[in-house]
Amino acid sequence: MKHLMSPLDMSVEELDKLMAIANDIEANPAKYAHACDGKILATCFYEPSTRTRLSFESAMMRLGGQVLGFASADSSSASKGESVSDTIRVISCYADICAMRHPKEGAPMVAMTKSRIPIINAGDGGHQHPTQTLTDLLTIKSLKGRLDNITIGLCGDLKFGRTVHSLISALIRYENVKFVFISPDELRIPDYIREDVLIKNNIEFKEVVKLDDVMPDLDLLYMTRVQRERFFNEEDYIRLKDFYILTKEKMELAKDDMLVLHPLPRVNEISIEVDNDPRAAYFKQAQYGVYIRMALILTLLELV
Ligand code: CP
């Protein structure tokens, strides 16, 4: 049985196949409308979500399947002290596949060891968010036409932003991808990403504080929100939350075909005036999230 804990659980060839299925779903949705008839997806979300949970549910419904689950720990028996291990043993009796989000790093991995159904990590603490990465890869491939030969700037909370950690791990497998990390000192990428992922694999990267200086070099700008829920004190969050705000004026420094991505939710880091810029791709990115999750459900259930 297959699960998805990290984007590295899939080879580059498997990712290519997954993205090809997603593109086919986009082009021919009717072909897949009954692909999951009789199947049930459980969404077990111990942490808030709009996109990930609802796009998984939309994906399963668009495949003809059904969904059940909970949207917060408070509305499940976790609030009475039930462990993730026991919960997943029970969910395995009710559903065919499960997407799980949890504030604790590694919780979906624990579930995987006790599960009789495929488990998808829908975000675990500040660690990984592999289905956001699949979404990001599909967005870049579809809109840019390639995943290699790109310079990508990742801007904002690079310390706690799990989408950033997953995306870096996935992109180093493509040729000539250069990274520019743009963050305040306190929110730089974690040491394990710098040492074990980038330096160990001879990946070209630089770390800067000022966004304006590097804007002209970028093919992609991946903005992130400062992750309030992972800060130890509110003062630090308030000091750092508006460190970067992407405005129309800053967009004038960028290439004509630079794309702006953001996993969303956005707080203040992209001014709403940027939404009308043709290079703003973050809402399209959310749409690609449905196609790739449809492709993932089909793949893990071995229906393609
Ligand atoms: N991108 C993302 O994970 O959004 P949600 O937290 O709304 O699921």
Side-chain angles (χ1 to χ4, degrees):
M1 189 207 310
K2 280 196 174 176
H3 308 273
L4 185 79
M5 293 294 120
S6 149
L8 300 184
D9 291 349
M10 287 191 166
S11 66
V12 169
E13 292 71 28
E14 286 170 327
L15 283 174
D16 281 346
K17 190 173 167 203
L18 193 77
M19 288 189 275
I21 296 166
N23 287 141
D24 193 48
I25 290 169
E26 181 184 8
N28 306 292
K31 192 171 135 188
Y32 297 90
H34 296 285
C36 279
D37 278 356
K39 299 289 183 191
I40 297 174
L41 165 77
T43 52
C44 298
F45 277 59
Y46 295 82
E47 202 182 50
S49 167
T50 296
R51 270 146 299 277
T52 311
R53 187 171 66 84
L54 297 183
S55 65
F56 262 117
E57 296 188 357
S58 173
M60 191 49 148
M61 289 175 185
R62 285 167 193 274
L63 292 167
Q66 296 182 68
V67 296
L68 52 78
F70 51 86
S72 71
D74 288 351
S75 62
S76 79
S77 285
S79 62
K80 303 174 202 160
E82 187 172 51
S83 67
V84 165
S85 300
D86 283 0
T87 301
I88 200 60
R89 283 184 171 171
V90 173
I91 297 287
S92 295
C93 306
Y94 303 157
D96 301 288
I97 185 166
C98 172
M100 176 179 287
R101 171 171 290 188
H102 203 287
K104 283 200 180 134
E105 286 84 356
M109 183 86 81
V110 170
M112 185 187 87
T113 63
K114 303 290 181 193
S115 178
R116 288 190 287 112
I117 59 176
I119 303 293
I120 300 167
N121 178 1
D124 61 326
H127 184 220
Q128 295 272 355
H129 193 346
T131 64
Q132 181 63 49
T133 298
L134 300 181
T135 302
D136 300 340
L137 295 178
L138 179 65
T139 306
I140 298 168
K141 181 88 187 286
S142 302
L143 300 182
K144 208 79 192 156
R146 64 183 193 278
L147 288 163
D148 52 10
N149 297 303
I150 50 172
T151 299
I152 178 167
L154 296 115
C155 177
D157 185 349
L158 310 186
K159 179 179 180 183
F160 297 117
R162 59 192 172 198
T163 63
V164 167
H165 307 159
S166 289
L167 185 57
I168 296 168
S169 305
L171 278 176
I172 63 161
R173 298 195 290 181
Y174 297 90
E175 285 293 312
N176 194 31
V177 175
K178 296 174 186 156
F179 294 92
V180 182
F181 300 117
I182 308 138
S183 72
D185 276 343
E186 294 96 324
L187 298 178
R188 288 171 66 189
I189 48 166
D191 289 343
Y192 80 91
I193 298 272
R194 189 179 303 101
E195 305 294 332
D196 300 341
V197 180
L198 297 162
I199 295 175
K200 203 168 162 182
N201 290 294
N202 291 317
I203 305 298
E204 192 173 327
F205 73 96
K206 64 177 172 182
E207 297 183 82
V208 300
V209 176
K210 275 193 79 181
L211 174 60
D212 295 23
D213 296 349
V214 294
M215 278 294 269
D217 305 332
L218 306 178
D219 300 308
L220 295 161
L221 174 60
Y222 194 95
M223 295 295 294
T224 63
R225 135 188 103 85
V226 175
Q227 305 266 307
R228 180 181 204 158
E229 63 276 30
R230 314 220 187 276
F231 271 71
F232 291 111
N233 73 67
E234 185 73 1
E235 267 173 37
D236 285 348
Y237 169 73
I238 288 167
R239 186 168 49 80
L240 294 168
K241 72 184 177 68
D242 293 331
F243 202 91
Y244 299 106
I245 300 180
L246 184 65
T247 57
K248 248 163 91 169
E249 289 70 36
K250 286 196 196 306
M251 287 298 287
E252 282 169 17
L253 303 170
K255 290 180 185 172
D256 290 344
D257 63 348
M258 187 199 77
L259 293 180
V260 183
L261 303 183
H262 191 312
L264 303 178
R266 155 180 59 185
V267 186
N268 283 330
E269 58 280 358
I270 302 179
S271 167
I272 54 166
E273 68 195 13
V274 176
D275 296 357
N276 294 328
D277 189 306
R279 295 168 292 181
Y282 29 93
F283 291 115
K284 284 184 205 146
Q285 191 179 353
Q287 177 71 62
Y288 282 117
V290 178
Y291 304 135
I292 202 73
R293 288 182 175 100
M294 290 171 79
L296 181 65
I297 291 168
L298 290 173
T299 301
L300 294 182
L301 289 177
E302 300 183 341
L303 295 172
V304 279

